[in-house]
Amino acid sequence: MSEDLREMLTDGAVHEGDVVTGEVTSVDDSGVTVALSHGFEGVISAQELSAIPGTDASQVLKVGDSVTAVVTKVDMESGQVALSKRRAEQSEAWARMQAQFESQAAFEIQVRDVVKGGLVADVGVRAFIPASLVDRRFVEDLKEFKGQTLKVKVVELDPEKNKLILSRRAVLEEEQESRVQELMEKLQPGEVIEGVVQRLTDFGAFVDVGGADGLVHISELSHTHVEHPSDVVKEGDHVKVRVLRVDPDAGKISLSIKSAQPEPWEEFATEFHPGDVVDGVVKRVVDFGAFVELRPGLEGLVHVSQISNEHVAQASDVLEPGQEVKVRVLSVEPERKRISLSMKEDNGGGAREQQPRRREPRRQPERQVDTSSGTGATLGDLFGDLFKK
């Protein structure tokens, strides 16, 4: 070390605790060398570069960068000045994070590492994003986020415990809520739009219609009866839906797949004419007859008087749901959305090759009459002689 530099150090030109600024002259695995004013050389060790232990120096600084650091030690023998970029940033960082927490404004961070349970970032102090706050949905592998720039919010901080918790999920949910409100202002009841099935429940299907999920109730999935939504759609399906209702205050959108499809009467009714003999399936049985499905969603009524040439008291005596039948069209009334059918035979060959069989009542077992006298002899044995006279 030169006498001039030793004299400057001795005179106290650089003190521990001073905040100094210099230019990075070299970067290696051990840390960073910084050229300070008056010819001093400062060294920032790897552990003093970042709030994240084990951070690669080249990820933080490069040659030519200007850096501000705190003087942690002055070595009179070598003339080197130990610096800490981490300490210089801490005080300012906590003040900045406190302001972010109070304003709840979103800001960007870069993910430095993936650890058990979440992500780690350096914002002047160590910041942690728990796995549950990384996304709106569960993330299987967090490694995909390493090195990424994410928009986050401060949800918890405690400088004394060196604790800073960030949330990306809070930002995503806020953005989602904004998209939902914007979408609801645009959606109009009655319009038909495209969507993607997101998830199924016992009572219906949730469909994404451009940033917001709307519910298609199970009764609005199809013109035919649906036992479970999975019988009609599956997750990932692209579907057309009609907007039924929009409730911005409740954040709810009611949709219908059924209403976005042609009415069965519009699609199939013109296929049928009086006298036609067609196949169908019994869908419902009531006291006055049976409803037979001719095409999906299109049903006709076989009145109880038209089930058989023989008298039928109740349709359920002869028919049951799911039964395949052959019927003859009696009349078609599009304006009333009604088709009358018959299963009776007619002189022209009839609607059926044979009449439906009546369900036979369960026969009671014949009662056995004990004709024995209790003595081991039958009545014939005891009174046979009387019949001979």
Side-chain angles (χ1 to χ4, degrees):
M1 179 176 61
S2 67
E3 288 298 324
D4 291 341
L5 185 55
R6 183 185 298 277
E7 184 179 345
M8 293 176 69
L9 288 172
T10 305
D11 290 343
V14 180
H15 304 86
E16 290 185 13
D18 286 351
V19 177
V20 295
T21 300
E23 182 180 329
V24 177
T25 56
S26 69
V27 178
D28 55 35
D29 293 340
S30 62
V32 172
T33 302
V34 181
L36 301 175
S37 59
H38 305 297
F40 293 114
E41 183 179 78
V43 175
I44 308 176
S45 63
Q47 60 266 32
E48 292 298 329
L49 275 171
S50 169
I52 311 302
T55 300
D56 187 345
S58 62
Q59 290 183 311
V60 183
L61 293 169
K62 62 181 183 296
V63 174
D65 282 350
S66 176
V67 59
T68 298
V70 172
V71 177
T72 59
K73 184 179 180 181
V74 177
D75 190 330
M76 300 295 292
E77 293 301 321
S78 64
Q80 282 193 340
V81 179
L83 305 173
S84 173
K85 177 177 180 292
R86 176 177 62 84
R87 294 188 193 181
E89 293 175 340
Q90 279 184 343
S91 178
E92 180 186 349
W94 282 117
R96 189 171 65 253
M97 290 300 102
Q98 181 66 42
Q100 294 290 148
F101 179 65
E102 293 173 359
S103 68
Q104 279 300 289
F107 60 100
E108 291 186 343
I109 55 94
Q110 185 177 41
V111 178
R112 284 290 176 81
D113 201 4
V114 178
V115 296
K116 183 178 180 180
L119 308 175
V120 174
D122 180 5
V123 293
V125 292
R126 182 182 185 274
F128 182 61
I129 309 175
S132 61
L133 299 182
V134 171
D135 207 323
R136 294 175 62 222
R137 296 180 175 86
F138 174 73
V139 179
E140 186 74 32
D141 188 1
L142 293 174
K143 291 179 182 178
E144 63 181 276
F145 291 97
K146 186 171 183 178
Q148 285 193 19
T149 298
L150 306 179
K151 190 175 287 188
V152 297
K153 282 187 174 186
V154 178
V155 292
E156 186 179 352
L157 80 164
D158 187 340
E160 292 184 2
K161 296 181 179 180
N162 201 35
K163 182 178 183 180
L164 177 62
I165 306 298
L166 307 179
S167 172
R168 175 174 178 257
R169 178 177 177 175
V171 175
L172 296 177
E173 288 180 343
E174 186 177 84
E175 291 175 349
Q176 170 68 9
E177 185 178 340
S178 177
R179 285 195 297 269
V180 169
Q181 291 301 317
E182 183 180 348
L183 181 63
M184 285 189 168
E185 292 176 2
K186 294 180 180 178
L187 288 178
Q188 296 296 323
E191 68 175 312
V192 176
I193 54 180
E194 291 191 357
V196 180
V197 178
Q198 294 297 308
R199 57 192 176 94
L200 305 180
T201 66
D202 290 340
F203 55 84
F206 286 92
V207 178
D208 183 349
V209 288
D213 288 351
L215 173 64
V216 180
H217 190 267
I218 190 169
S219 62
E220 293 294 334
L221 283 169
S222 174
H223 288 288
T224 60
H225 177 69
V226 178
E227 291 289 340
H228 191 272
S230 59
D231 296 336
V232 181
V233 293
K234 63 181 183 297
E235 292 182 6
D237 279 356
H238 289 256
V239 294
K240 283 188 176 182
V241 293
R242 186 180 297 276
V243 179
L244 299 180
R245 291 175 299 279
V246 180
D247 187 346
D249 294 334
K252 293 182 178 180
I253 303 172
S254 298
L255 306 169
S256 174
I257 291 177
K258 177 176 72 175
S259 297
Q261 299 171 340
E263 280 270 356
W265 268 93
E266 297 174 2
E267 191 172 4
F268 303 117
T270 55
E271 294 184 18
F272 303 100
H273 305 88
D276 290 348
V277 177
V278 295
D279 293 319
V281 178
V282 177
K283 301 299 287 187
R284 293 175 291 146
V285 179
V286 294
D287 290 341
F288 56 84
F291 288 93
V292 176
E293 186 178 62
L294 306 178
R295 294 289 185 273
L298 184 68
E299 296 179 358
L301 173 66
V302 180
H303 191 268
V304 66
S305 64
Q306 293 294 328
I307 290 177
S308 174
N309 288 38
E310 299 177 8
H311 175 71
V312 176
Q314 293 186 4
S316 57
D317 292 340
V318 177
L319 301 172
E320 60 184 7
Q323 185 175 344
E324 295 183 358
V325 294
K326 193 176 291 290
V327 294
R328 179 164 46 86
V329 178
L330 297 179
S331 64
V332 180
E333 301 175 76
E335 67 283 355
R336 301 176 67 183
K337 295 185 178 180
R338 179 180 296 181
I339 297 179
S340 297
L341 306 170
S342 175
M343 293 171 59
K344 279 185 174 182
E345 291 182 351
D346 64 357
N347 295 331
R352 293 174 54 85
E353 295 179 0
Q354 62 180 36
Q355 289 297 300
R357 296 179 180 177
R358 293 176 180 273
R359 294 185 183 178
E360 295 293 337
R362 184 177 297 176
R363 299 180 63 184
Q364 297 295 326
E366 295 182 4
R367 298 178 63 184
Q368 301 295 323
V369 178
D370 186 1
T371 58
S372 70
S373 64
T375 61
T378 66
L379 293 177
D381 294 333
L382 295 174
F383 304 107
D385 291 341
L386 293 177
F387 293 106
K388 293 178 181 179
K389 294 180 179 180

